[in-house]
Amino acid sequence: MSTCPSVRLSTGAQMPLLGLGTYKLVGAENVLQAVDAALAAGYRSFDSAAVYRNEADVGRALKESLPKYGLSREDVFITSKLGPKDQGANAMEGAVRSLTQLDLGYIDLYLIHWPGTQGLDVTDHKNPDNRAASWAALEELHAQGKLKAIGVSNYTPTHMRELLQSCKVPPALLQAEFHPRLGQPELRALCLESGVCFQAYSSLGRAELLTDPVVLEVAKNCSRTPAQVLLRWAVQQNIGVLPKSSSSERIRSNADIFDFTLCDEDMAKLNGLDCGQRFCWDPSHVL
Ligand code: NAP
C-alpha cells in the first residue's frame, strides 16, 4: 500500500485514515487471517466493538501477528465501542470488560456505540441520562490513561450538541454512516466547527454501492475497483474509512487508495448521489 496519511485527534494522537472494519468478522482463525492480511497490506488501525463479540480475538490476533512485521502495540491504533446493553450505570463495567477482552494495555479510541440503551424504548426519557452516565465513565477511564481518546458513534446533531454542552472532556471523534448516498452535511459541519474528527463507516454501503452505475462509471474512468473509488472519495475529503473484508485479496486492494486522485468531475458525480439513504440503523428517533 502507498503510505496511509493520518488525521490528528483533539488529544494530539495521530489516527490512520484507513482502518480494518471487523463487524461480522468472527472466529479466532478468521480474525487472525484478516488481521494478519491487513498488517501485511499496511493497515495500522482496527475497529472492533463489544457487540461484534470479537474483541478478544482481535487482541490475540494482534499479539500474534505484530512481531511478524516488526511492529509493537504502539504502532497500531485500536478502536472499540461500549455496547448499548452497558449504556448508563453499567458503562464503567462494560468499558473495563472491553479493556480486559482486548488485553492490549490500553485502547486508543473508545466510543459510545449508539445513543440509545438496549431494552429501553427510543422515546424513553432515561436515554439522555444514560448517555451522560456513560460519558462520565469514559471520562474517568480517559483520565486514568486506559482510554487514550474517547468519542461517540451514531450520534445525530441533537445528541452531539447535548454532549458538547455537558461534557468535561469533549469527544475526539464521531463515527457515523457516510458514503456518496449519505453525505451527512449537518453532522460534518458540526464536527468541523467543534473540533471533532468525523470518521465514516459502511463506506461500501455493505457492498451494495459496488454496483451503483455512477460508481462503476467512475471506476472505469480511473481504472480502479468500485471499492477503491468509494474509499478514495472519503479519504480525499480527509475522512477516515473502515472497510471490512474477510478476504486477504480484497483487504489488500481496499488499501490501494493513496496513489491516485479522483478528479473534480468524478467527485462531483459521486457527491450528486446523496439522497439520504442508509444501509444501517437510523439513530434519529432516539431521544
Ligand atoms: P462495508 O465495509 O461498507 O462493506 C463490507 C462488505 O463489503 C462485506 O460484505 C465485504 O465482503 C464486502 N467487500 C469489502 N471489500 C470489497 C471489495 N473490494 N470488493 C467487493 N466486496 C467487498 O460495511 P460495514 O462492515 O458495515 O462497515 C465497515 C466497518 O465499519 C464495520 O466492519 C465496522 O468496523 C464499522 N461499522 C460501525 C458501525 C457503528 O455503528 N459504529 C456500523 C457499521 C459498521 P467480504 O468480507 O466477503 O469481502
Side-chain angles (χ1 to χ4, degrees):
M1 158 175 100
S2 34
T3 315
C4 170
S6 291
V7 280
R8 190 178 176 279
L9 303 184
S10 52
T11 54
Q14 295 287 335
M15 183 188 77
L17 269 183
L18 173 72
L20 182 72
T22 70
Y23 177 53
K24 295 218 166 143
L25 206 53
V26 283
E29 266 311 304
N30 294 336
V31 172
L32 177 61
Q33 174 259 317
V35 166
D36 195 272
L39 287 172
Y43 290 67
R44 295 293 178 263
S45 169
F46 297 85
D47 182 74
S48 183
V51 295
Y52 303 168
R53 295 174 183 271
N54 61 13
E55 290 173 304
D57 287 334
V58 168
R60 260 194 304 270
L62 283 165
K63 277 187 267 184
E64 187 170 334
S65 289
L66 285 171
K68 241 174 99 176
Y69 300 98
L71 298 168
S72 57
R73 166 68 182 92
E74 293 68 35
D75 296 316
V76 286
F77 187 97
I78 309 303
T79 301
S80 197
K81 313 182 194 88
L82 181 76
K85 81 172 173 56
D86 290 323
Q87 183 89 289
N90 296 333
M92 177 62 77
E93 197 185 323
V96 169
R97 200 182 310 119
S98 286
L99 280 157
T100 308
Q101 292 277 310
L102 278 159
D103 191 27
L104 294 167
Y106 60 91
I107 296 175
D108 295 275
L109 175 65
Y110 198 68
L111 310 176
I112 295 180
H113 203 147
W114 180 256
T117 306
Q118 192 170 311
L120 277 192
D121 192 85
V122 286
T123 59
D124 197 306
H125 283 80
K126 289 193 209 83
N127 279 312
D129 293 344
N130 285 354
R131 281 196 292 280
S134 294
W135 192 254
L138 266 55
E139 286 179 328
E140 202 175 320
L141 289 168
H142 173 62
Q144 293 171 18
K146 292 177 181 157
L147 307 176
K148 298 289 179 198
I150 53 178
V152 292
S153 182
N154 294 299
Y155 274 34
T156 64
T158 309
H159 303 133
M160 285 303 283
R161 283 190 200 97
E162 167 200 89
L163 175 60
L164 288 163
Q165 276 159 22
S166 60
C167 63
K168 289 194 203 109
V169 177
L173 180 140
L174 166 65
Q175 187 185 107
E177 183 174 348
F178 176 73
H179 42 69
R181 290 205 200 149
L182 187 69
Q184 302 271 30
E186 191 186 350
L187 260 186
R188 287 171 57 204
L190 180 58
C191 284
L192 194 64
E193 75 194 36
S194 319
V196 178
C197 180
F198 182 88
Q199 183 183 47
Y201 76 65
S202 297
S203 297
L204 312 179
R206 302 221 147 133
E208 288 194 46
L209 288 174
L210 301 173
T211 50
D212 181 285
V214 173
V215 176
L216 288 171
E217 183 193 325
V218 173
K220 195 168 167 222
N221 282 352
C222 57
S223 306
R224 292 287 174 153
T225 69
Q228 287 167 340
V229 164
L230 288 161
L231 297 169
R232 180 69 208 175
W233 173 81
V235 298
Q236 201 160 306
Q237 300 173 75
N238 221 25
I239 292 174
V241 291
L242 301 163
K244 175 263 169 187
S245 181
S246 47
S247 137
S248 300
E249 180 44 42
R250 291 193 285 278
I251 286 173
R252 213 172 5 256
S253 92
N254 289 346
D256 270 335
I257 53 171
F258 299 109
D259 61 348
F260 75 108
T261 305
L262 293 171
C263 66
D264 291 349
E265 197 186 326
D266 284 343
M267 287 297 282
K269 274 188 206 158
L270 293 163
N271 290 339
L273 293 176
D274 192 3
C275 58
Q277 184 184 352
R278 288 177 191 274
F279 296 95
C280 301
W281 316 268
D282 184 353
S284 56
H285 301 297
V286 180
L287 187 73

